[in-house]
Amino acid sequence: GSNCHQIEGRMLWMPDTLNWDSAHNAEPMVMVLNNTNVELSGQNYQPKKLAKNTFYGSVGLGWITSKIYMPQNSRGSIKNGIDWTFGYDWVSKSKWGVGFKYSGYHSSCIVEGSNLDVTITYLAPQLVYRTQFEKWTLEEHFGIGYYRYNESAGRYGYFVGGFGYNFDFGLEYLLSKNFGLCANIGYLGGRLSGMDDNLPDDTFGGIFRVNLLAGVRFHF
């Protein structure tokens, strides 16, 4: 026959093309399972872990719920003021942990023409519970510690300390692995027996307040 239209070429033979094709169509190493980021390691999927250590700081408003007996000729009230909290938490794999909290409150009013400043300080170890849903974290704190009330007017001052406790509930949104924005609502109470002498017989010395705070958290 004629050789006018002959074509010459070379072919590359790959003996394991079936496995090669399967490898290129395998599942990615990072998958999405039930809307939660997980890593593929053999057949075991590990959910995202809670950070063990957290430092946090928050500031907001506080309201004293106790009955306050103000002196005559006073203007304003110490029942509303600025509230703040700083603390550290350690949480285990079981979502339970321990921590330490410092909480403060400040308010002022006018009494007999002088400015009266009131500061309440609270220091306590506390029990922590935290759980996480994607970028949202829910947590609770409960603590028992030292409660101190301090007031000052000019050169004069007075303070009394006692037993206190706290409970708060918080919600956090994670901006990244290490940082988050949080909001907390809490309740703090303190038994101040040093105030009993100045109160009616059917009452006892103590200051109880609620607060609403917002702040930042650092995890590692």
Side-chain angles (χ1 to χ4, degrees):
S2 173
N3 60 1
C4 295
H5 301 287
Q6 293 182 358
I7 299 175
E8 182 180 351
R10 294 183 178 181
M11 297 180 65
L12 175 64
W13 177 60
M14 299 180 66
D16 198 17
T17 55
L18 180 61
N19 292 333
W20 181 87
D21 183 69
S22 299
H24 281 71
N25 289 279
E27 295 293 335
M29 293 302 293
V30 176
M31 303 177 63
V32 176
L33 180 63
N34 294 331
N35 295 324
T36 303
N37 287 331
V38 298
E39 293 183 359
L40 178 62
S41 176
Q43 297 298 323
N44 298 321
Y45 298 99
Q46 300 296 328
K48 190 173 182 180
K49 298 179 180 179
L50 286 169
K52 289 186 176 181
N53 302 279
T54 301
F55 285 102
Y56 59 89
S58 302
V59 65
L61 299 177
W63 298 270
I64 294 177
T65 59
S66 308
K67 187 173 183 179
I68 301 292
Y69 295 92
M70 298 295 297
Q72 295 182 353
N73 301 322
S74 61
R75 288 186 294 147
S77 174
I78 63 170
K79 299 196 71 171
N80 305 321
I82 302 298
D83 213 306
W84 63 91
T85 295
F86 298 98
Y88 164 79
D89 292 337
W90 177 88
V91 177
S92 69
K93 294 180 180 179
S94 66
K95 302 181 182 180
W96 289 93
V98 294
F100 188 83
K101 168 179 287 189
Y102 160 73
S103 177
Y105 172 89
H106 179 266
S107 185
S108 62
C109 63
I110 304 297
V111 177
E112 297 180 354
S114 298
N115 189 66
L116 175 67
D117 288 307
V118 170
T119 302
I120 301 174
T121 303
Y122 175 70
L123 299 168
Q126 53 186 1
L127 185 65
V128 182
Y129 177 78
R130 180 181 300 152
T131 186
Q132 186 170 318
F133 305 93
E134 297 184 359
K135 291 188 175 182
W136 293 95
T137 301
L138 298 175
E139 65 180 15
E140 298 177 23
H141 293 90
F142 174 76
I144 298 175
Y146 176 72
Y147 204 81
R148 172 175 168 139
Y149 170 87
N150 184 89
E151 64 180 36
S152 61
R155 296 178 297 173
Y156 301 98
Y158 166 84
F159 75 89
V160 61
F163 163 85
Y165 63 91
N166 74 282
F167 176 80
D168 63 72
F169 175 81
L171 179 65
E172 176 187 5
Y173 179 76
L174 291 170
L175 298 175
S176 67
K177 177 181 177 182
N178 300 108
F179 291 94
L181 300 177
C182 62
N184 290 73
I185 182 169
Y187 181 84
L188 296 92
R191 174 73 171 96
L192 304 171
S193 58
M195 290 182 171
D196 291 349
D197 295 338
N198 300 321
L199 296 176
D201 294 336
D202 58 345
T203 59
F204 62 89
I207 296 179
F208 305 88
R209 76 180 193 269
V210 295
N211 57 27
L212 183 61
L213 309 176
V216 296
R217 295 178 180 271
F218 173 68
H219 307 282
F220 63 97

